[in-house]
Amino acid sequence: MLDKRLIDIYKKRRAKWPFIILSLIIIHFFIIIISLTIGSTYIPLIQILEIFFKRIQIISGISMQVLDTEKINEMIIFQVRLPRVLLASFVGGSLAVAGVVFQGIFKNPMADPYVIGVSSGAALGASFAIILGIGYTIFGSLTITISSFITATISLLIVYNISRVGSRTPITTLLLSGIAVGIFLSAIVSFLHIIAGEKLHALVFWLMGGFSYAEWRDVQIIIPFLCFGFVIIYIFSRDLNILQLSEEEAAYLGVDVEKAKRNFIIFGSLLTAAAVSVSGLVGFVGLIIPHIMRILISPNHYILLPSSLIAGASFLVICDTIARIILPPIELPVGIITAFSGVPFFIYLLRKTRGKYKFFE
Amino acid sequence: MVRLLIKGIECYYGSIKALENVSFSISDKEFVGIIGPNGSGKTTLLRTIAGVLKPKIGTVLLDDWDIYNLKRFEVAQKIAVVPQISSTTFNFTVSEVVLMGRNPYIKRLEKESERDFDIAEKAMRLTNTLHLAERFINELSGGERQRVIIARALAQEPIVMLLDEPTLHLDISYQIEIMELLRKLCKDNGFIILSVFHDFNLAARYCDSIILLDKGKIFSIGSVDKVLTHENIKKVFNVDVVIKKHPITNSLYIIPITTLKANEPKGIKVHVICGGGSGAPLMKSLIEMGYSVTTGVLNLLDTDHEVAQSLNIPTVSAAPFSAVTRDEYEANIKMIEKVDAVILTATPFGQGNLMNILAADEALRRGLSVIVINEPPIENRDFTNGEATKLILKLKEKGAIFVKSDNEVLQILKELSMKRLAK
């Protein structure tokens, strides 16, 4: 061991990382394909591939004779299932990355978009937009996203400023004020339920979280937020690693702690708001996925961020697929499934490893 | 030449003043220790110099750079800190933690370069942590973790290293190893090292100079001999210490004797006739219990003499290895005249110190209480062919109290002082 060079040890370990990401992507791809076949009508894998193949040919200008049943299936795939699966992927990825960020900066494994009141803030903005009906008018769903982002950021800034002591933000006060503000915002949302009138149903269903009404428009909204947010967060991933020491030590190691925290808060809220605005309140993804990835792979954010992104996407696609097939013809809100499937698995892993983070290391 | 200049800094936590008008300068290759009681501002001083706490007044200059005008990463390239406690929420490996020391040199979007790995590896070799590379930081022992944190600080390639009690969790072997390493880095690489110490002896042995802080102010600053004096330590720490030059390391070593507020003065004066170390524990106990103590005649260089000096006991001294002279005997009697009781310890007697038995005899004649510790019995420590034995036994006839231990002496003195109080 002593004559082994540090760089070699490290290279050997890092060499695994691209394979981990690649495997996660392949697994996710299969999950998507399987999810596309399942539903009220079963569409065989071969047919899905044919539909995709034809769509490519149509795009490239080659016209072909199309059968009626195929046309219906094609409609189901392109207008219903594909946007839904993709939206679930992006929302899952966003929430998982937001979870990594919040757990990272608050150095608390319990921190997730819910705990610090960001989700409640986003939900409040979205609820306003829905009740006022502007969600369906001016800029379409984008209004909900923008309104969510504004209230999410405002709520986080309120939390941040309440918990601020001098120029510092101690973790304990931050979490406590996060919970307090979250409860307060939830109370406002509950109040909105009462005055919602005819929009109550839409509001409640949206809040429970789900992808039943997923449209391409929603996918178009979340993609730029996710890409932009993730890239920025990934650029700062080394800071997130160093912030796992005390804030003071991070400062000694050259991290501008307050600036880094501010960036992470803004982009974490952005991802949360984008996810909440298109899918309502879907819980547990941001809490569980980072944990599992930390245990299975590494707490190093270089690898933790991308792996959580993909695993979060896979997780939510699986949960959504279960939600729409488990009690036909009723579709359950996906939040119920994420809680039911995620929590036991999480407890199992926690018991098994007893807090020791190693599996593949 | 590099110079760290601290100019009149004044720091506050809220409205509480933590540091007041602290100024000093350190040049490269200097190893400076900070000592002071709890809450005297030692850690605050380190945090201020590290740039994470900005003083209200004053500044810190490193090579004419005002460190509060530098960016965090620029400061981290120059100043490394080894904090007292270091922990991570999630479990990183040792190599990941050491590589974090390279952070100030790595730009965004860049990964660690070959050079960064070389520097980290060198730092780990120096601190003997390379074999821990793949272990998890939270699974290490306190000492191992401390060495890893020092390796991380070395990986920063700093000019200044600030350490907050670097040897707190370390075994004695690693204490020495780490201090030797720091000293070597300081001298060979021209580091400026500023370290907080709780252990005076470690500070005395490794530091070039020492800053003694008290209540946020510099109480004393300068060379080890100048700062670590009996008076300074007594004033700042409220502890009596013995300070000696160690015969092997030739550095000062400091042994605390007792806290000053130990006991109310008893109002009874005691004269101890001793020698050869036979009176040292008794004198210490007497002082601690609040008696006023005098002693004599003692030869210079005698253990008892040195102890009496460090306890600030008035002493009649004789030249080293010489017989007690007539003058010294007289001086001793003069001292005995002022006391209530005389104690004769079980010291060996030769021709040189026979006069001391006569002094006890004189005390008896003047009606003072004389207590003789005769364990081991005088026959076993008589080097005068029976002369001393004869004199001692005579004391018994004349009414001296014979006892076997220091404790009995203390018991008799206690009764004496009770009687005195009753009167």
Side-chain angles (χ1 to χ4, degrees):
Chain A
M1 195 74 184
L2 263 170
D3 38 47
K4 222 164 150 191
R5 305 228 326 144
L6 180 63
I7 188 165
D8 298 328
I9 299 170
Y10 221 73
K11 268 183 183 163
K12 206 175 135 198
R13 193 141 59 92
R14 287 222 170 151
K16 288 183 201 156
W17 290 357
F19 290 106
I20 291 171
I21 297 296
L22 196 68
S23 349
L24 285 172
I25 290 174
I26 292 169
I27 292 168
H28 185 59
F29 181 75
F30 279 110
I31 288 169
I32 285 182
I33 296 292
I34 292 163
S35 175
L36 287 176
T37 65
I38 304 171
S40 47
T41 31
Y42 171 73
I43 304 172
L45 186 60
I46 300 288
Q47 208 178 344
I48 289 174
L49 295 178
E50 269 174 24
I51 289 167
F52 273 106
F53 189 62
K54 273 179 195 148
R55 179 51 75 96
I56 292 163
Q57 285 179 324
I58 289 164
I59 289 167
S60 48
I62 307 160
S63 68
M64 270 219 157
Q65 205 188 357
V66 181
L67 295 170
D68 273 358
T69 51
E70 273 192 10
K71 224 170 199 168
I72 291 165
N73 282 351
E74 195 188 325
M75 276 262 296
I76 292 174
I77 293 294
F78 277 102
Q79 297 310 316
V80 181
R81 290 192 190 165
L82 193 57
R84 182 170 183 155
V85 166
L86 290 180
L87 189 64
S89 302
F90 293 131
V91 168
S94 301
L95 290 175
V97 171
V100 172
V101 168
F102 291 135
Q103 286 170 21
I105 53 171
F106 301 139
K107 288 192 285 290
N108 189 322
M110 297 311 292
D112 93 334
Y114 290 85
V115 178
I116 54 167
V118 187
S119 287
S120 306
L124 181 65
S127 302
F128 268 128
I130 290 169
I131 284 188
L132 297 175
I134 52 172
Y136 306 105
T137 55
I138 317 170
F139 301 108
S141 321
L142 190 59
T143 323
I144 301 183
T145 311
I146 291 167
S147 144
S148 295
F149 175 58
I150 291 169
T151 48
T153 313
I154 289 173
S155 63
L156 196 54
L157 285 178
I158 292 171
V159 170
Y160 190 58
N161 280 313
I162 292 175
S163 53
R164 220 178 161 83
V165 180
S167 63
R168 305 175 53 77
T169 356
I171 298 312
T172 39
T173 54
L174 200 135
L175 287 175
L176 285 173
S177 58
I179 291 166
V181 170
I183 291 170
F184 181 73
L185 294 173
S186 299
I188 299 178
V189 172
S190 302
F191 174 71
L192 289 181
H193 284 187
I194 291 163
I195 59 162
E198 64 199 39
K199 296 205 175 72
L200 179 64
H201 178 75
L203 186 58
V204 169
F205 204 81
W206 173 83
L207 275 175
M208 285 172 101
F211 302 98
S212 306
Y213 305 113
E215 290 174 38
W216 280 110
R217 201 175 49 174
D218 297 325
V219 178
Q220 284 164 6
I221 286 168
I222 195 171
I223 284 178
F225 285 100
L226 176 57
C227 291
F228 183 60
F230 181 76
V231 166
I232 299 284
I233 287 166
Y234 194 69
I235 287 173
F236 283 86
S237 57
R238 196 172 48 236
D239 286 6
L240 209 46
N241 276 342
I242 294 171
L243 279 172
Q244 302 318 303
L245 310 169
S246 71
E247 287 179 20
E248 180 118 354
E249 272 185 279
Y252 294 150
L253 290 168
V255 175
D256 189 334
V257 176
E258 292 304 317
K259 195 175 127 194
K261 277 204 307 199
R262 199 177 57 225
N263 285 342
F264 287 125
I265 281 173
I266 288 171
F267 289 102
S269 323
L270 187 71
L271 290 182
T272 310
V276 168
S277 68
V278 294
S279 66
L281 292 176
V282 180
F284 292 100
V285 185
L287 187 69
I288 289 168
I289 294 301
H291 258 286
I292 293 174
M293 289 300 111
R294 229 177 253 124
I295 294 168
L296 290 183
I297 299 169
S298 166
N300 192 327
H301 289 85
Y302 283 145
I303 181 75
L304 182 60
L305 282 166
S307 58
S308 295
L309 177 78
I310 305 162
S314 303
F315 177 68
L316 205 51
V317 170
I318 294 170
C319 288
D320 182 51
T321 309
I322 295 170
R324 67 190 158 91
I325 61 167
I326 197 162
L327 274 180
I330 304 164
E331 281 194 5
L332 293 177
V334 70
I336 294 175
I337 307 297
T338 54
F340 270 128
S341 58
V343 174
F345 181 50
F346 172 64
I347 291 170
Y348 163 74
L349 278 177
L350 206 62
R351 294 288 302 171
K352 192 178 171 188
T353 58
R354 305 247 170 201
K356 281 184 186 174
Y357 294 124
K358 53 177 173 186
F359 253 82
F360 296 146
E361 294 268 359
Chain B
M1 187 170 116
V2 188
R3 216 159 68 108
L4 179 68
L5 188 64
I6 284 81
K7 275 170 91 177
I9 51 176
E10 202 165 305
C11 288
Y12 291 81
Y13 288 119
S15 60
I16 299 155
K17 198 182 270 181
L19 285 176
E20 187 180 343
N21 193 24
V22 172
S23 299
F24 58 92
S25 84
I26 311 176
S27 304
D28 52 350
K29 300 191 180 181
E30 253 193 289
F31 195 137
V32 179
I34 306 173
I35 58 171
N38 294 334
S40 58
K42 304 184 293 284
T43 304
T44 308
L45 181 57
L46 287 194
R47 298 181 67 217
T48 311
I49 297 169
V52 298
L53 187 73
K54 200 177 183 313
K56 211 163 213 173
I57 307 170
T59 191
V60 175
L61 300 177
L62 179 62
D63 248 0
D64 299 329
W65 284 98
D66 186 330
I67 65 152
Y68 304 107
N69 291 338
L70 294 178
K71 294 224 164 60
R72 266 315 325 158
F73 76 90
E74 290 173 313
V75 176
Q77 288 176 357
K78 300 174 197 302
I79 301 175
V81 182
V82 177
Q84 220 175 70
I85 310 157
S86 176
S87 67
T88 66
T89 331
F90 304 116
N91 226 346
F92 286 96
T93 62
V94 166
S95 52
E96 280 169 333
V97 171
V98 176
L99 278 168
M100 285 179 185
R102 296 303 298 160
N103 180 60
Y105 297 92
I106 307 169
K107 292 196 185 72
R108 298 235 170 277
L109 296 172
E110 268 183 17
K111 286 235 150 61
E112 292 88 351
S113 70
E114 195 100 3
R115 196 179 117 78
D116 293 319
F117 280 102
D118 286 345
I119 289 163
E121 190 175 325
K122 198 178 149 207
M124 289 169 82
R125 257 186 226 292
L126 279 172
T127 50
N128 194 14
T129 51
L130 197 58
H131 63 288
L132 302 172
E134 284 298 88
R135 294 270 300 279
F136 288 98
I137 186 82
N138 290 350
E139 291 170 0
L140 300 184
S141 73
E144 288 170 328
R145 198 180 309 181
Q146 188 70 352
R147 276 148 54 212
V148 171
I149 300 308
I150 292 172
R152 188 184 72 196
L154 293 177
Q156 282 175 258
E157 296 192 300
I159 307 163
V160 180
M161 256 181 102
L162 307 174
L163 304 105
D164 199 347
E165 294 190 46
T167 57
L168 196 65
H169 305 287
L170 297 185
D171 290 344
I172 185 132
S173 61
Y174 279 123
Q175 280 188 15
I176 302 300
E177 200 176 313
I178 289 292
M179 294 317 293
E180 296 282 349
L181 169 68
L182 291 173
R183 182 145 186 104
K184 190 170 171 326
L185 287 167
C186 174
K187 300 301 166 192
D188 296 356
N189 301 21
F191 278 23
I192 290 172
I193 295 188
L194 188 59
S195 175
V196 170
F197 284 94
H198 257 167
D199 186 334
F200 292 166
N201 293 321
L202 220 50
R205 180 156 167 203
Y206 290 101
C207 295
D208 299 312
S209 48
I210 289 194
I211 297 167
L212 175 57
L213 285 180
D214 186 30
K215 297 182 191 86
K217 286 181 225 169
I218 293 182
F219 186 86
S220 173
I221 181 168
S223 65
V224 176
D225 318 23
K226 198 189 132 203
V227 175
L228 288 180
T229 63
H230 181 262
E231 292 73 36
N232 283 347
I233 292 170
K234 194 165 170 176
K235 272 183 200 146
V236 173
F237 289 90
N238 213 14
V239 171
D240 259 319
V241 293
V242 179
I243 299 175
K244 290 259 163 10
K245 261 230 152 56
H246 195 280
I248 299 170
T249 61
N250 199 32
S251 52
L252 292 184
Y253 72 96
I254 294 131
I255 303 154
I257 302 291
T258 173
T259 51
L260 282 183
K261 43 203 163 191
N263 261 300
E264 294 291 306
K266 285 273 196 302
I268 285 201
K269 293 179 189 140
V270 183
H271 186 83
V272 182
I273 298 171
C274 53
S278 62
L282 181 63
M283 285 193 283
K284 181 176 170 285
S285 308
L286 288 171
I287 291 283
E288 275 176 7
M289 295 174 87
Y291 294 100
S292 347
V293 181
T294 57
T295 185
V297 178
L298 284 172
N299 290 105
L300 288 165
L301 298 184
D302 188 301
T303 311
D304 281 342
H305 188 274
E306 291 188 5
V307 170
Q309 289 309 303
S310 49
L311 291 170
N312 286 333
I313 293 174
T315 310
V316 181
S317 313
F321 308 109
S322 326
V324 175
T325 63
R326 192 76 216 170
D327 286 352
E328 286 149 9
Y329 171 79
E330 297 289 349
N332 206 19
I333 294 297
K334 258 190 195 145
M335 229 174 219
I336 288 171
E337 275 173 354
K338 295 176 199 146
V339 304
D340 305 291
V342 173
I343 299 156
L344 190 62
T345 65
T347 181
F349 283 101
Q351 291 300 339
N353 60 351
L354 263 184
M355 295 284 264
N356 279 346
I357 307 183
L358 295 177
D361 193 78
E362 181 64 22
L364 270 178
R365 210 179 59 77
R366 293 179 186 222
L368 299 175
S369 309
V370 172
I371 307 164
V372 178
I373 303 169
N374 198 25
E375 182 63 42
I378 179 66
E379 293 83 1
N380 299 352
R381 48 191 168 86
D382 182 354
F383 300 95
T384 57
N385 292 324
E387 213 174 323
T389 311
K390 230 184 276 169
L391 286 172
I392 293 280
L393 292 177
K394 221 192 247 169
L395 291 179
K396 195 170 191 177
E397 282 164 31
K398 288 185 180 171
I401 308 160
F402 272 53
V403 297
K404 285 189 170 167
S405 68
D406 287 0
N407 281 341
E408 286 180 64
V409 176
L410 296 174
Q411 191 59 39
I412 291 164
L413 287 175
K414 205 171 154 193
E415 281 160 20
L416 202 68
S417 64
M418 302 267 255
K419 259 184 229 161
R420 178 67 69 84
L421 266 175
K423 271 184 196 172

